[in-house]
mmCIF file of all heavy atoms in Angstrom:
data_model
loop_
_atom_site.group_PDB
_atom_site.id
_atom_site.type_symbol
_atom_site.label_atom_id
_atom_site.label_comp_id
_atom_site.label_asym_id
_atom_site.label_seq_id
_atom_site.Cartn_x
_atom_site.Cartn_y
_atom_site.Cartn_z
ATOM 1 N N THR A 255 -13.177 -11.975 -1.220
ATOM 2 C CA THR A 255 -13.830 -10.628 -1.271
ATOM 3 C C THR A 255 -12.884 -9.571 -1.881
ATOM 4 O O THR A 255 -11.706 -9.515 -1.720
ATOM 5 C CB THR A 255 -14.038 -10.092 0.203
ATOM 6 O OG1 THR A 255 -14.896 -10.952 0.954
ATOM 7 C CG2 THR A 255 -14.487 -8.657 0.314
ATOM 8 N N VAL A 259 -8.676 -0.663 -4.649
ATOM 9 C CA VAL A 259 -7.395 -0.083 -4.415
ATOM 10 C C VAL A 259 -7.525 1.452 -4.592
ATOM 11 O O VAL A 259 -7.886 1.881 -5.683
ATOM 12 C CB VAL A 259 -6.278 -0.663 -5.296
ATOM 13 C CG1 VAL A 259 -4.944 0.063 -5.041
ATOM 14 C CG2 VAL A 259 -6.139 -2.058 -5.132
ATOM 15 N N THR A 266 -12.518 -2.534 4.915
ATOM 16 C CA THR A 266 -13.500 -3.661 4.797
ATOM 17 C C THR A 266 -13.368 -4.577 6.047
ATOM 18 O O THR A 266 -12.249 -5.002 6.410
ATOM 19 C CB THR A 266 -13.215 -4.488 3.569
ATOM 20 O OG1 THR A 266 -13.348 -3.804 2.375
ATOM 21 C CG2 THR A 266 -14.118 -5.754 3.446
ATOM 22 N N ALA A 271 -13.751 -16.002 12.033
ATOM 23 C CA ALA A 271 -14.564 -17.038 12.823
ATOM 24 C C ALA A 271 -15.176 -18.029 11.876
ATOM 25 O O ALA A 271 -15.837 -17.605 10.938
ATOM 26 C CB ALA A 271 -15.585 -16.310 13.550
ATOM 27 N N PRO A 282 2.164 -20.196 3.874
ATOM 28 C CA PRO A 282 2.885 -18.999 3.909
ATOM 29 C C PRO A 282 4.188 -19.005 4.492
ATOM 30 O O PRO A 282 4.429 -19.901 5.280
ATOM 31 C CB PRO A 282 1.941 -17.988 4.667
ATOM 32 C CG PRO A 282 0.555 -18.641 4.644
ATOM 33 C CD PRO A 282 0.840 -20.125 4.639
ATOM 34 N N ASN A 286 3.386 -18.300 11.257
ATOM 35 C CA ASN A 286 3.015 -19.411 11.943
ATOM 36 C C ASN A 286 1.669 -20.080 11.492
ATOM 37 O O ASN A 286 0.799 -20.234 12.309
ATOM 38 C CB ASN A 286 3.108 -19.361 13.445
ATOM 39 C CG ASN A 286 2.919 -20.628 14.217
ATOM 40 O OD1 ASN A 286 3.270 -21.657 13.753
ATOM 41 N ND2 ASN A 286 2.586 -20.583 15.462
ATOM 42 N N THR A 305 -0.376 -1.173 -1.008
ATOM 43 C CA THR A 305 -0.124 -1.377 0.395
ATOM 44 C C THR A 305 -1.445 -1.968 0.986
ATOM 45 O O THR A 305 -2.528 -1.327 0.931
ATOM 46 C CB THR A 305 0.232 -0.165 1.041
ATOM 47 O OG1 THR A 305 1.482 0.363 0.557
ATOM 48 C CG2 THR A 305 0.525 -0.298 2.540
ATOM 49 N N GLY A 312 -12.635 -3.325 17.556
ATOM 50 C CA GLY A 312 -12.836 -3.263 19.042
ATOM 51 C C GLY A 312 -13.810 -4.371 19.498
ATOM 52 O O GLY A 312 -14.802 -4.680 18.948
ATOM 53 N N GLY A 313 -13.237 -5.073 20.547
ATOM 54 C CA GLY A 313 -13.999 -6.212 21.114
ATOM 55 C C GLY A 313 -13.715 -7.512 20.375
ATOM 56 O O GLY A 313 -14.197 -8.630 20.917
ATOM 57 N N LEU A 316 -9.413 -11.364 17.659
ATOM 58 C CA LEU A 316 -8.340 -11.507 16.726
ATOM 59 C C LEU A 316 -7.451 -10.174 16.845
ATOM 60 O O LEU A 316 -7.843 -9.273 16.309
ATOM 61 C CB LEU A 316 -8.775 -11.732 15.301
ATOM 62 C CG LEU A 316 -7.682 -11.821 14.333
ATOM 63 C CD1 LEU A 316 -7.026 -13.146 14.564
ATOM 64 C CD2 LEU A 316 -8.223 -11.881 12.868
ATOM 65 N N ALA A 326 -1.398 -15.611 -9.388
ATOM 66 C CA ALA A 326 -1.905 -16.816 -10.014
ATOM 67 C C ALA A 326 -2.587 -16.495 -11.302
ATOM 68 O O ALA A 326 -3.164 -15.287 -11.398
ATOM 69 C CB ALA A 326 -2.862 -17.564 -9.207
ATOM 70 N N TYR A 361 -4.025 -12.339 -4.900
ATOM 71 C CA TYR A 361 -4.859 -12.999 -3.894
ATOM 72 C C TYR A 361 -4.152 -12.767 -2.527
ATOM 73 O O TYR A 361 -3.137 -12.989 -2.342
ATOM 74 C CB TYR A 361 -4.979 -14.502 -4.229
ATOM 75 C CG TYR A 361 -5.734 -14.718 -5.521
ATOM 76 C CD1 TYR A 361 -5.108 -14.719 -6.772
ATOM 77 C CD2 TYR A 361 -7.070 -15.014 -5.491
ATOM 78 C CE1 TYR A 361 -5.721 -14.845 -7.907
ATOM 79 C CE2 TYR A 361 -7.800 -15.176 -6.633
ATOM 80 C CZ TYR A 361 -7.104 -15.070 -7.882
ATOM 81 O OH TYR A 361 -7.751 -15.365 -9.158
ATOM 82 N N ILE A 364 -5.419 -14.145 4.884
ATOM 83 C CA ILE A 364 -5.314 -13.622 6.213
ATOM 84 C C ILE A 364 -5.603 -14.790 7.122
ATOM 85 O O ILE A 364 -6.613 -15.533 6.892
ATOM 86 C CB ILE A 364 -6.335 -12.488 6.463
ATOM 87 C CG1 ILE A 364 -6.106 -11.328 5.473
ATOM 88 C CG2 ILE A 364 -6.150 -11.993 7.950
ATOM 89 C CD1 ILE A 364 -5.000 -10.398 5.640
ATOM 90 N N GLY A 366 -5.199 -16.063 11.636
ATOM 91 C CA GLY A 366 -4.791 -15.630 13.058
ATOM 92 C C GLY A 366 -3.441 -16.415 13.304
ATOM 93 O O GLY A 366 -3.202 -17.620 12.961
ATOM 94 N N GLY A 373 -11.782 -13.929 14.944
ATOM 95 C CA GLY A 373 -12.667 -12.860 15.055
ATOM 96 C C GLY A 373 -12.624 -11.837 14.019
ATOM 97 O O GLY A 373 -12.043 -12.055 12.872
ATOM 98 N N THR A 392 5.443 14.557 -11.949
ATOM 99 C CA THR A 392 4.472 15.328 -12.647
ATOM 100 C C THR A 392 5.209 16.605 -13.227
ATOM 101 O O THR A 392 5.984 17.219 -12.490
ATOM 102 C CB THR A 392 3.325 15.848 -11.697
ATOM 103 O OG1 THR A 392 2.597 14.637 -11.222
ATOM 104 C CG2 THR A 392 2.409 16.802 -12.394
ATOM 105 N N LEU A 394 5.761 20.299 -14.489
ATOM 106 C CA LEU A 394 5.262 21.641 -14.143
ATOM 107 C C LEU A 394 5.628 22.573 -15.409
ATOM 108 O O LEU A 394 6.723 22.518 -15.846
ATOM 109 C CB LEU A 394 5.868 22.163 -12.831
ATOM 110 C CG LEU A 394 5.571 21.408 -11.577
ATOM 111 C CD1 LEU A 394 6.249 22.058 -10.465
ATOM 112 C CD2 LEU A 394 4.026 21.403 -11.250
ATOM 113 N N ASN A 402 -1.371 27.061 -10.435
ATOM 114 C CA ASN A 402 -1.253 25.915 -9.489
ATOM 115 C C ASN A 402 -1.548 24.595 -10.101
ATOM 116 O O ASN A 402 -2.430 24.460 -10.876
ATOM 117 C CB ASN A 402 -2.147 26.164 -8.280
ATOM 118 C CG ASN A 402 -1.562 27.150 -7.271
ATOM 119 O OD1 ASN A 402 -0.414 27.211 -6.979
ATOM 120 N ND2 ASN A 402 -2.432 27.985 -6.799
ATOM 121 N N THR A 404 -2.603 20.957 -8.430
ATOM 122 C CA THR A 404 -2.992 20.356 -7.152
ATOM 123 C C THR A 404 -2.480 18.941 -7.092
ATOM 124 O O THR A 404 -2.711 18.189 -8.061
ATOM 125 C CB THR A 404 -4.399 20.472 -6.928
ATOM 126 O OG1 THR A 404 -4.910 21.825 -6.992
ATOM 127 C CG2 THR A 404 -4.924 19.879 -5.571
ATOM 128 N N ALA A 410 1.800 8.293 -0.050
ATOM 129 C CA ALA A 410 3.077 8.382 -0.696
ATOM 130 C C ALA A 410 4.117 7.586 0.160
ATOM 131 O O ALA A 410 4.061 7.489 1.400
ATOM 132 C CB ALA A 410 3.534 9.850 -0.796
ATOM 133 N N ILE A 416 18.370 8.192 -3.000
ATOM 134 C CA ILE A 416 18.611 9.651 -3.291
ATOM 135 C C ILE A 416 19.014 10.300 -2.022
ATOM 136 O O ILE A 416 18.426 9.978 -0.936
ATOM 137 C CB ILE A 416 17.304 10.198 -3.956
ATOM 138 C CG1 ILE A 416 17.009 9.570 -5.279
ATOM 139 C CG2 ILE A 416 17.508 11.625 -4.028
ATOM 140 C CD1 ILE A 416 15.712 9.888 -5.889
ATOM 141 N N PRO A 419 16.999 15.300 1.854
ATOM 142 C CA PRO A 419 17.131 16.759 1.720
ATOM 143 C C PRO A 419 17.883 17.373 2.851
ATOM 144 O O PRO A 419 17.931 16.801 4.001
ATOM 145 C CB PRO A 419 15.623 17.208 1.714
ATOM 146 C CG PRO A 419 14.862 15.961 1.302
ATOM 147 C CD PRO A 419 15.708 14.772 1.871
ATOM 148 N N CYS A 421 16.985 20.059 4.488
ATOM 149 C CA CYS A 421 16.035 20.816 5.442
ATOM 150 C C CYS A 421 14.786 20.006 5.436
ATOM 151 O O CYS A 421 14.516 18.951 4.818
ATOM 152 C CB CYS A 421 15.738 22.201 4.757
ATOM 153 S SG CYS A 421 14.825 22.166 3.185
ATOM 154 N N GLY A 439 17.523 30.927 -16.563
ATOM 155 C CA GLY A 439 18.211 30.125 -15.548
ATOM 156 C C GLY A 439 17.589 30.523 -14.184
ATOM 157 O O GLY A 439 18.010 30.013 -13.186
#
Side-chain angles (χ1 to χ4, degrees):
T255 297
V259 181
T266 294
N286 192 23
T305 297
L316 184 64
Y361 296 82
I364 305 283
T392 297
L394 299 176
N402 281 317
T404 302
I416 294 175
C421 69

